[in-house]
Amino acid sequence: MEHDASGVDETVIDSDHEWRDERTRDIVNKIATLRQSIDNVDMAIVALLAERFKYTSSVGVLKAQAGFAPADYKREEEQMRRLRRLAIDAGLDPEIAEEYREFVVTEAKKRHKRIAETGEDPGVLDIFA
């Protein structure tokens, strides 16, 4: 076992350690396979978020052209109900859906505001802007 920066014990599964017993080697291999699946899902999530923000930017451009406000609270409420239902149906804690919604709605509103102020798509997603 090793210690992390806080002094807590940890096992570094993917170290170059020679796992001696067959059962542990099998577990380490299964973990590696699962981690690859996790990495693939993360890649898909990032790609889908990029696609989602392209659509919301297009909505922002259209809202700006029509003189609409960046926020649409009725849509946000409908979206929250839908996301909570989807989360529950998927066996996911609905609070995760709320955190996701908060992130994407907040970012979309910031982008819509920049579009309204500048008249153009803000381009790359920048959560620090």
Side-chain angles (χ1 to χ4, degrees), residues 11-22 24-26 28:
T11 301
V12 181
I13 294 168
D14 50 3
S15 69
D16 290 333
H17 185 39
E18 181 64 35
W19 300 106
R20 290 190 178 96
D21 82 60
E22 189 175 327
T24 303
R25 278 195 308 274
D26 185 48
V28 168

Short mmCIF file of all heavy atoms in Angstrom, two decimals, residues 11-22 24-26 28:
data_model
loop_
_atom_site.label_atom_id
_atom_site.label_comp_id
_atom_site.label_asym_id
_atom_site.label_seq_id
_atom_site.Cartn_x
_atom_site.Cartn_y
_atom_site.Cartn_z
N THR A 11 -4.22 1.87 -2.65
CA THR A 11 -3.60 0.84 -3.46
C THR A 11 -3.53 1.37 -4.88
O THR A 11 -4.54 1.79 -5.43
CB THR A 11 -4.44 -0.46 -3.44
OG1 THR A 11 -4.55 -0.88 -2.09
CG2 THR A 11 -3.79 -1.54 -4.27
N VAL A 12 -2.37 1.37 -5.45
CA VAL A 12 -2.20 1.84 -6.82
C VAL A 12 -2.34 0.63 -7.73
O VAL A 12 -1.39 -0.12 -7.94
CB VAL A 12 -0.84 2.54 -7.01
CG1 VAL A 12 -0.69 3.05 -8.43
CG2 VAL A 12 -0.70 3.68 -6.01
N ILE A 13 -3.54 0.46 -8.22
CA ILE A 13 -3.87 -0.73 -8.99
C ILE A 13 -3.07 -0.81 -10.28
O ILE A 13 -2.59 -1.86 -10.67
CB ILE A 13 -5.38 -0.77 -9.29
CG1 ILE A 13 -6.14 -0.95 -7.97
CG2 ILE A 13 -5.72 -1.87 -10.28
CD1 ILE A 13 -7.61 -0.72 -8.08
N ASP A 14 -2.92 0.34 -10.94
CA ASP A 14 -2.27 0.30 -12.24
C ASP A 14 -0.78 0.64 -12.17
O ASP A 14 -0.18 1.05 -13.14
CB ASP A 14 -2.99 1.19 -13.24
CG ASP A 14 -3.23 2.59 -12.70
OD1 ASP A 14 -2.79 2.89 -11.59
OD2 ASP A 14 -3.87 3.37 -13.42
N SER A 15 -0.19 0.41 -11.01
CA SER A 15 1.27 0.58 -10.90
C SER A 15 1.94 -0.60 -11.60
O SER A 15 1.29 -1.55 -12.04
CB SER A 15 1.68 0.64 -9.44
OG SER A 15 1.50 -0.62 -8.83
N ASP A 16 3.23 -0.57 -11.67
CA ASP A 16 3.97 -1.66 -12.29
C ASP A 16 4.17 -2.82 -11.33
O ASP A 16 5.00 -3.70 -11.58
CB ASP A 16 5.34 -1.15 -12.80
CG ASP A 16 5.18 -0.22 -13.98
OD1 ASP A 16 4.19 -0.35 -14.71
OD2 ASP A 16 6.06 0.64 -14.16
N HIS A 17 3.41 -2.82 -10.28
CA HIS A 17 3.54 -3.85 -9.25
C HIS A 17 3.23 -5.22 -9.88
O HIS A 17 2.29 -5.37 -10.65
CB HIS A 17 2.57 -3.55 -8.11
CG HIS A 17 2.69 -4.48 -6.95
ND1 HIS A 17 3.87 -4.94 -6.48
CD2 HIS A 17 1.74 -5.02 -6.15
CE1 HIS A 17 3.65 -5.73 -5.43
NE2 HIS A 17 2.37 -5.80 -5.23
N GLU A 18 4.01 -6.19 -9.54
CA GLU A 18 3.78 -7.56 -10.01
C GLU A 18 2.78 -8.23 -9.07
O GLU A 18 3.12 -8.58 -7.95
CB GLU A 18 5.10 -8.32 -10.04
CG GLU A 18 4.98 -9.74 -10.54
CD GLU A 18 4.53 -9.84 -11.99
OE1 GLU A 18 4.93 -8.97 -12.79
OE2 GLU A 18 3.77 -10.76 -12.31
N TRP A 19 1.55 -8.37 -9.52
CA TRP A 19 0.53 -8.99 -8.68
C TRP A 19 0.79 -10.50 -8.66
O TRP A 19 0.76 -11.15 -9.69
CB TRP A 19 -0.88 -8.66 -9.20
CG TRP A 19 -1.11 -7.18 -9.20
CD1 TRP A 19 -1.13 -6.36 -10.27
CD2 TRP A 19 -1.29 -6.35 -8.05
NE1 TRP A 19 -1.33 -5.06 -9.88
CE2 TRP A 19 -1.44 -5.03 -8.51
CE3 TRP A 19 -1.35 -6.59 -6.68
CZ2 TRP A 19 -1.63 -3.95 -7.66
CZ3 TRP A 19 -1.55 -5.51 -5.83
CH2 TRP A 19 -1.69 -4.21 -6.33
N ARG A 20 1.05 -11.02 -7.50
CA ARG A 20 1.53 -12.40 -7.39
C ARG A 20 0.42 -13.43 -7.47
O ARG A 20 0.59 -14.46 -8.12
CB ARG A 20 2.31 -12.57 -6.09
CG ARG A 20 3.62 -11.84 -6.15
CD ARG A 20 4.52 -12.18 -5.00
NE ARG A 20 5.79 -11.47 -5.14
CZ ARG A 20 6.06 -10.32 -4.56
NH1 ARG A 20 5.18 -9.77 -3.77
NH2 ARG A 20 7.21 -9.74 -4.75
N ASP A 21 -0.69 -13.16 -6.84
CA ASP A 21 -1.70 -14.23 -6.87
C ASP A 21 -2.65 -14.03 -8.06
O ASP A 21 -2.95 -12.92 -8.48
CB ASP A 21 -2.41 -14.38 -5.52
CG ASP A 21 -3.52 -13.41 -5.28
OD1 ASP A 21 -4.48 -13.42 -6.07
OD2 ASP A 21 -3.46 -12.65 -4.29
N GLU A 22 -3.08 -15.14 -8.59
CA GLU A 22 -3.89 -15.15 -9.81
C GLU A 22 -5.21 -14.40 -9.64
O GLU A 22 -5.66 -13.68 -10.53
CB GLU A 22 -4.15 -16.60 -10.24
CG GLU A 22 -4.80 -16.71 -11.60
CD GLU A 22 -4.92 -18.16 -12.04
OE1 GLU A 22 -4.04 -18.98 -11.71
OE2 GLU A 22 -5.91 -18.44 -12.72
N THR A 24 -5.90 -11.84 -7.69
CA THR A 24 -5.66 -10.40 -7.73
C THR A 24 -5.35 -9.93 -9.14
O THR A 24 -5.84 -8.89 -9.58
CB THR A 24 -4.52 -10.01 -6.76
OG1 THR A 24 -4.85 -10.46 -5.45
CG2 THR A 24 -4.32 -8.51 -6.73
N ARG A 25 -4.55 -10.71 -9.89
CA ARG A 25 -4.27 -10.36 -11.30
C ARG A 25 -5.56 -10.29 -12.10
O ARG A 25 -5.76 -9.39 -12.91
CB ARG A 25 -3.30 -11.36 -11.93
CG ARG A 25 -1.85 -11.10 -11.61
CD ARG A 25 -0.91 -11.87 -12.53
NE ARG A 25 -1.18 -13.30 -12.59
CZ ARG A 25 -0.70 -14.21 -11.74
NH1 ARG A 25 0.09 -13.84 -10.76
NH2 ARG A 25 -1.00 -15.48 -11.88
N ASP A 26 -6.47 -11.25 -11.86
CA ASP A 26 -7.75 -11.27 -12.57
C ASP A 26 -8.58 -10.03 -12.22
O ASP A 26 -9.17 -9.40 -13.09
CB ASP A 26 -8.52 -12.55 -12.20
CG ASP A 26 -9.80 -12.69 -12.98
OD1 ASP A 26 -9.77 -12.52 -14.23
OD2 ASP A 26 -10.86 -12.96 -12.35
N VAL A 28 -7.41 -7.12 -11.17
CA VAL A 28 -6.75 -5.95 -11.77
C VAL A 28 -7.09 -5.86 -13.25
O VAL A 28 -7.37 -4.78 -13.77
CB VAL A 28 -5.22 -6.02 -11.53
CG1 VAL A 28 -4.48 -4.99 -12.38
CG2 VAL A 28 -4.91 -5.82 -10.05
#
